[in-house]
Amino acid sequence: MEEMKRYVIKRADALAPERLARYRAELNDEQFAAVTSPPGAALVVAGAGSGKTRVITYRVAYLVEQGVAPARVMLATFTNRAAREMLRRVEALTGGDVRRVWGGTFHRIANLTLRRHAESLGYQANYTILDSEDAKDFLSTCVDEAGIDTKARRFPKAEVLGDIISFANNTDRPIEETVARNYPHFELLSQQIKRVDAIYMERKRERNVMDYDDLLLNWKRLLLEKPDIANLYADQFQHILVDEYQDTNKLQAEIIDLLAVRHRNVMVVGDDAQSIFAWRGAEFANIYEFPKRYPEARVFRLETNYRSTPEILALANVSIASNRKQFPKILKSARPSKGMNPALVPARDADQQAAFIASRILELRDENVPLEEVAVLYRSHYHSLELQLELTRRGIPYKVHSGVRFFEQAHIKDVVSYLRIIVNPRDELAWKRVLRLVPQVGPATANRIWEQLSTAPDPLALVRRASFQAAPRRGSGWTEFLALIENLVRDDARQNPAKQIEIILERGYSDYLAQNYENAEARREDLQQLARYSARYNSTEEFLGELALLATERYGAPQPVMGEDVVMGGEEDELLTLSSVHQAKGLEWRVVFIIWAADGKFPSPRSLRDPEGEEEERRLWYVALTRAGDGLYITYPLMITDFNRQTVLQRPSRFITEVPPELFDIWTLEEEIDTASTSTIEDKTDEPSGYLN
C-alpha cells in the first residue's frame, strides 16, 4: 500500500493590525503577553485581582481570530455559568459564533464525550446521571446487599460513604488509604466499605446509571482503554484552556494531560497562592509541578492588582512570602494609596470583638460605605457565634454566605433539644427530636413514647423507670440514652449548660456525628464553641431563655437567631456579608473584617496535623487579606473562657506575628456607657464605638 502523505494547512501568523492594536489597548502588558503567546504549553500565574478571567476570555478570542476553529478549543471551568459568561464575551469580541467551543465544567465536557461513546464502556448512550440524593439511596441499598449489620457496629451512613468513595476516586487513592487519612474512626471497616463500593460500581453499570464522579472516571477510562477514541480527541483539541487550575484534583489533571498529549497546547490559569481546597481533593502539586510535566511551558505572571490599596497588598505580599512552595510574585497595586494601613485590633474577649465590629460597621455606613460592600470573614463557622448575636441585638441586617443559620444547623438543634427536655420535660418537639436520635427509634416509636410521657406528672422520672412500657426492647441504644439522661440531671450538671453539652458529646453524640456527617469534626467544634459560650450563664434555663429572646427581639414574628438569607432590621437589599474564607474565594468587598485571628483559631489546629497544612492555612490567610479593596481590619480576643469557666489567654495568629508590625495600624479599644447602646440600622445616633488611644 502506498504511504499516506501529510499536508499541513498554513494560516496567517498575525491578526490584522487594527485588531492587534485593540488587544494592546484593552490589556496591560502582562495580560497581553499571555493572551498573544505562541502555541505551546503555558502556565499563567494570576495573582489576586489581576484580571484572570479577562486573560482567558481574550485568549479564546485571540485563538478564534487567528483561525483556530471553535470546535478545536476546549475551555474547562469550575462552573458552567463562568464558561457561558466567558464565551458570551468572546462572541462580543470576535463578532462570530463560538457555540462550538467545548466550554463548561469538567463534568459537562465529560458528559458530552460519554454520550457519544458510552457503549464502548458497557453503558448505553441514554444512561442516567444520579443526583446526590439518588446516589445516597443507591448506596444504602448496596449496604443492605453487602449483608453488613449496621446495628452491630456503627457503620457510616450513605452520605459519609459517598464522601469516602468520592474522595478516593478524585484523588486516585485506595479506599483503605482514604479511610485511614480522613476517617480513622472507620478504619476497622475499610474492607466492608470496599465491598460496598464494588457492589455500587457493578449495580450502576447494570442499571445504566452514573453518579457525578463516574463522569470523570469513565472519561479517563475512555482515554486510557480506547486508543482510537483517545486519538480522536487528542487530535481534535488543538488548544486546551483550564481556569482555576490550582483547584483541580488529580483525576482532572490526568484527563487534561491525556487530551493534550498530541498538540501540548495547554494553557492553565490559576494562583498557587490561592490553593485552599486540599480537604475536598484539590491537588496543589498540579499547578506547582506543571513546569515539570511540561518542561517547555512558558510561565506568565499577572502581578498588577486592580482591587486593593498598596498597603493591603504590602501585607499580603509579605505574608505569603513565608511559604516555601510557591511561584514567587509581588502584587503591585494599580490604585493610589489611601494612607491607611490594615488595622490590627486586639479585643478583651469575643464579646468586645463583636461589639467593635458592629460599631465600626455602623460608622462605615454613616461614611457612605453600604453594608453590601462590607464582609466579615472567619476561618470556621462557629467563630461567628458572638458576632451574629451582637448583630441581631443591634438590628444590623446580614446574610451568611453559602452557609446555614448557626442555631438552625441540625447538630446545634439536636444538642439544644437535650437541654430543653431537662429544663422543660413537657417540651414535645424537643422530646421527639432527641428520641429519634436513639438507634432503632423512628418517628412512629418516638410518637408512641411521647404519648405516654405527655400524661405523666414527671416525664423525666417516667422515662427512666425500668417498667416504662413504651421503651424499645432491643439493642443498647436505649440503655445509652437513659445513661445520658441520668448524667444530664446530676446535681453538678443540671444547671450548667457547658457541662451538659460536654456530657452530650462524650456520651454518644460525637460518635453520632462521625457516623452521619462528612464534616463531623467541624460540627464538633461548633458544639464546643457553643459550650464555651454557654459557660457565661448561671443556669441552663437562663441560657435557653436568652437564645429564645434573641430569636424574637426587634422582629414582629419569631425568627431564627441567625440568618442564612436575611435577618431583617434595615433595607431588604442592603445586607452585611458573613462568610468563611473558603466561601469568600473569588469575591471582593470595599471593607473586610477578619475575626478570631488567634493561634489555634486561624490557623486551625486541625490543619496543622499535616506537614503541608500550615502552608495551605497561610494561603487561606492570603485569600482573606486579598478580598479587601479599601479597608482591612484584623481582630482577635485576648481572652476566652473554657468549659470550666476558666480564663485562657490567646496569642495573635502566627500569620500576624511573622510580619513586621509597621505593616499594621494597631488600634486600642476602650468602652464607655452609652444610653444608645441598642442602636439599630434605622436609629444610628450616638452608637457606641471603639476608640483609639
Side-chain angles (χ1 to χ4, degrees):
M1 182 177 175
E2 193 175 318
E3 186 179 343
M4 294 181 70
K5 294 182 179 178
R6 187 176 180 86
Y7 182 84
V8 179
I9 301 172
K10 294 182 180 176
R11 295 187 182 271
D13 278 343
L15 291 174
E18 67 276 6
R19 290 196 173 183
L20 198 58
R22 189 195 66 187
Y23 278 71
R24 284 199 179 279
E26 295 175 6
L27 301 168
N28 66 30
D29 290 345
E30 298 165 344
Q31 295 167 340
F32 182 81
V35 165
T36 61
S37 63
L43 167 62
V44 181
V45 181
S50 63
K52 165 183 68 68
T53 302
R54 192 173 185 81
V55 166
I56 299 169
T57 303
Y58 275 75
R59 177 63 174 177
V60 176
Y62 178 80
L63 292 172
V64 171
E65 291 189 337
Q66 286 282 82
V68 177
R72 302 198 69 187
V73 177
M74 174 180 144
L75 170 62
T77 61
F78 270 79
T79 67
N80 288 314
R81 181 181 175 183
R84 285 195 301 271
E85 179 60 22
M86 287 181 197
L87 293 176
R88 186 189 63 76
R89 289 165 64 182
V90 169
E91 208 159 70
L93 285 168
T94 62
D97 184 356
V98 295
R99 282 177 295 181
R100 296 191 66 198
V101 170
W102 287 58
T105 62
F106 281 89
H107 295 86
R108 179 180 183 273
I109 299 170
N111 186 43
L112 289 174
T113 307
L114 291 171
R115 291 292 177 192
R116 296 178 172 188
H117 308 286
E119 291 181 4
S120 64
L121 293 176
Y123 289 86
Q124 294 172 3
N126 63 342
Y127 61 82
T128 302
I129 300 173
L130 299 174
D131 63 24
S132 56
E133 285 302 313
D134 290 338
K136 277 194 290 186
D137 292 343
F138 210 148
L139 270 169
S140 296
T141 304
C142 294
V143 170
D144 293 339
E145 191 174 332
I148 294 168
D149 185 354
T150 57
K151 295 182 176 61
R153 182 187 203 101
R154 283 194 183 272
F155 196 74
K157 288 287 171 64
E159 183 178 353
V160 180
L161 267 180
D163 285 315
I164 293 171
I165 292 167
S166 178
F167 192 90
N169 287 336
N170 284 289
T171 56
D172 199 20
R173 290 193 179 115
I175 290 282
E176 302 96 298
E177 184 184 334
T178 299
V179 172
R181 281 171 56 106
N182 297 2
Y183 306 85
H185 40 282
F186 292 131
E187 196 164 0
L188 294 176
L189 302 172
S190 289
Q191 293 308 310
Q192 290 173 297
I193 294 170
K194 270 185 75 174
R195 190 159 82 250
V196 172
D197 181 36
I199 294 170
Y200 181 52
M201 293 297 289
E202 186 56 36
R203 294 299 171 270
K204 283 184 293 184
R205 253 192 308 273
E206 289 173 359
R207 289 159 178 72
N208 198 38
V209 298
M210 296 187 200
D211 65 21
Y212 205 52
D213 294 329
D214 290 329
L215 294 171
L216 297 188
L217 287 170
N218 287 325
W219 191 11
K220 181 185 170 184
R221 272 186 60 208
L222 198 66
L223 297 173
L224 286 175
E225 298 174 12
K226 308 295 176 184
D228 291 348
I229 296 172
N231 288 336
L232 180 73
Y233 287 97
D235 184 62
Q236 175 172 338
F237 293 132
Q238 188 178 342
H239 287 271
I240 298 172
L241 296 94
V242 186
D243 187 20
E244 301 286 10
Y245 190 68
Q246 78 282 345
D247 293 336
T248 55
N249 58 42
K250 189 172 182 183
L251 183 54
Q252 290 163 332
E254 288 172 342
I255 288 168
I256 293 298
D257 290 349
L258 288 166
L259 291 171
V261 69
R262 177 164 299 174
H263 299 293
R264 293 183 74 81
N265 292 331
V266 55
M267 176 179 278
V268 299
V269 183
D271 186 2
D272 58 299
Q274 296 186 66
S275 178
I276 59 173
F277 293 114
W279 53 276
R280 69 181 190 200
E283 181 59 72
F284 176 70
N286 289 349
I287 190 166
Y288 186 62
E289 296 180 358
F290 185 82
K292 290 183 182 176
R293 300 204 313 283
Y294 294 84
E296 76 278 21
R298 293 178 177 85
V299 178
F300 299 93
R301 286 177 169 79
L302 306 183
E303 298 178 302
T304 303
N305 174 287
Y306 294 91
R307 176 187 302 153
S308 306
T309 63
E311 291 82 3
I312 291 171
L313 293 185
L315 176 60
N317 285 330
V318 174
S319 289
I320 199 63
S322 295
N323 270 12
R324 292 174 299 103
K325 284 188 174 181
Q326 63 169 311
F327 296 111
K329 59 183 173 299
I330 302 293
L331 290 181
K332 302 177 292 289
S333 181
R335 301 182 53 202
S337 168
K338 287 188 171 286
M340 184 176 70
N341 286 332
L344 179 61
V345 192
R348 181 185 61 248
D349 53 26
D351 287 339
Q352 190 184 54
Q353 175 179 250
F356 160 71
I357 292 167
S359 295
R360 186 68 188 125
I361 285 169
L362 290 171
E363 289 176 348
L364 287 165
R365 191 172 183 271
D366 282 346
E367 295 165 13
N368 296 316
V369 179
L371 289 183
E372 64 262 27
E373 295 187 22
V374 182
V376 182
L377 306 183
Y378 36 81
R379 173 61 182 84
S380 299
H381 190 42
Y382 71 82
H383 292 163
S384 66
L385 190 155
E386 291 86 0
L387 177 62
Q388 291 190 45
L389 291 169
E390 182 69 18
L391 294 172
T392 304
R393 288 190 191 103
R394 296 198 186 209
I396 299 175
Y398 66 94
K399 61 182 177 182
V400 179
H401 179 65
S402 296
V404 292
R405 300 174 176 92
F406 188 86
F407 286 128
E408 288 296 294
Q409 296 176 102
H411 57 295
I412 301 292
K413 292 179 77 172
D414 288 346
V415 169
V416 168
S417 293
Y418 279 111
L419 272 54
R420 283 166 54 184
I421 65 170
I422 302 303
V423 168
N424 174 18
R426 298 195 177 284
D427 188 329
E428 178 180 356
L429 292 177
W431 267 111
K432 287 181 175 177
R433 187 173 189 98
V434 299
L435 287 168
R436 287 197 298 269
L437 295 172
V438 179
Q440 302 169 43
V441 175
T445 305
N447 289 339
R448 189 175 70 248
I449 294 172
W450 167 249
E451 282 173 16
Q452 289 209 23
L453 295 179
S454 63
T455 58
D458 185 347
L460 280 173
L462 176 61
V463 82
R464 288 147 63 198
R465 281 186 204 153
S467 59
F468 182 48
Q469 293 297 309
R473 290 282 173 257
R474 295 182 295 111
S476 61
W478 186 254
T479 305
E480 291 169 1
F481 172 67
L482 294 181
L484 171 57
I485 297 296
E486 292 292 347
N487 278 274
L488 291 177
V489 298
R490 286 191 332 234
D491 289 343
D492 64 331
R494 188 158 196 153
Q495 292 302 329
N496 185 340
K499 181 72 173 174
Q500 289 176 320
I501 294 170
E502 195 177 350
I503 289 168
I504 293 164
L505 280 169
E506 287 175 354
R507 301 194 69 93
Y509 197 74
S510 280
D511 291 340
Y512 174 83
L513 289 174
Q515 181 191 14
N516 286 277
Y517 298 110
E518 181 271 336
N519 60 341
E521 195 157 358
R523 290 176 186 259
R524 197 176 301 113
E525 286 177 351
D526 284 350
L527 292 166
Q528 289 166 345
Q529 179 68 8
L530 184 68
R532 279 192 286 270
Y533 180 79
S534 72
R536 70 186 67 191
Y537 295 96
N538 295 318
S539 69
T540 305
E541 188 171 355
E542 184 185 342
F543 171 57
L544 293 176
E546 173 78 357
L547 299 187
L549 287 173
L550 280 168
T552 57
E553 194 174 87
R554 298 194 180 284
Y555 316 118
Q559 295 187 16
V561 174
M562 307 194 176
E564 173 185 10
D565 300 317
V566 181
V567 174
M568 295 303 297
E571 298 289 336
E572 283 192 44
D573 59 348
E574 192 187 355
L575 299 169
L576 170 71
T577 296
L578 274 58
S579 177
S580 70
V581 183
H582 283 103
Q583 294 288 354
K585 184 176 174 292
L587 303 176
E588 60 184 77
W589 294 270
R590 273 176 65 183
V591 178
V592 166
F593 293 81
I594 302 173
I595 63 174
W596 281 95
D599 240 31
K601 299 290 189 278
F602 198 163
S604 76
R606 198 163 16 118
S607 65
L608 300 179
R609 297 174 195 165
D610 187 291
E612 304 293 325
E614 182 172 329
E615 295 219 342
E616 173 140 341
E617 286 290 294
R618 192 175 286 104
R619 295 194 291 269
L620 191 63
W621 177 257
Y622 174 83
V623 167
L625 299 178
T626 54
R627 299 311 93 199
D630 296 349
L632 177 62
Y633 299 82
I634 300 172
T635 73
Y636 67 95
L638 293 164
M639 297 181 293
I640 61 170
T641 304
D642 66 11
F643 296 117
N644 300 314
R645 304 186 185 183
Q646 300 295 310
T647 298
V648 179
L649 295 178
Q650 295 260 115
R651 291 180 300 176
S653 169
R654 66 192 67 188
F655 303 146
I656 293 172
T657 57
E658 70 190 9
V659 304
E662 57 267 24
L663 292 176
F664 299 105
D665 289 337
I666 300 177
W667 291 28
T668 302
L669 299 181
E670 296 177 0
E671 292 185 35
E672 65 179 32
I673 303 299
D674 193 322
T675 56
S677 62
T678 57
S679 296
T680 71
I681 279 292
E682 293 86 5
D683 174 21
K684 300 186 294 299
T685 57
D686 300 321
E687 297 103 346
S689 304
Y691 290 86
L692 303 185
N693 277 349

